[in-house]
Amino acid sequence: MAKKQKIVNLLILEKIFEPSQRTYLMDQPLAELEKMFRYKKKEESSNKHS
């Protein structure tokens, strides 16, 4: 649960999701949250190299 909360906080902090979406995010499986976070980080890193 703590890991899930940490990822949700990071997704909100990085402005990937809005704070109002916290309940939706907490309802998602941990694996989905990790996938969203990894995808967004990969996207940002490829944008920096463009």
Side-chain angles (χ1 to χ4, degrees):
M1 185 65 136
K3 186 173 183 177
K4 188 184 233 187
Q5 233 173 355
K6 184 176 181 180
I7 293 173
V8 167
N9 289 340
L10 286 170
L11 289 168
I12 292 170
L13 185 66
E14 296 282 330
K15 306 227 186 298
I16 298 167
F17 287 91
E18 296 292 318
S20 61
Q21 296 172 299
R22 183 178 302 274
T23 303
Y24 162 76
L25 292 169
M26 288 302 291
D27 288 341
Q28 299 303 307
L30 180 59
E32 281 300 308
L33 293 172
E34 290 173 331
K35 202 184 309 182
M36 285 184 230
F37 191 70
R38 278 195 308 266
Y39 175 79
K40 187 59 181 171
K41 282 299 184 190
K42 189 187 302 182
E43 190 178 85
E44 285 176 356
S45 116
S46 65
N47 285 343
K48 287 180 183 176
H49 294 100
S50 297

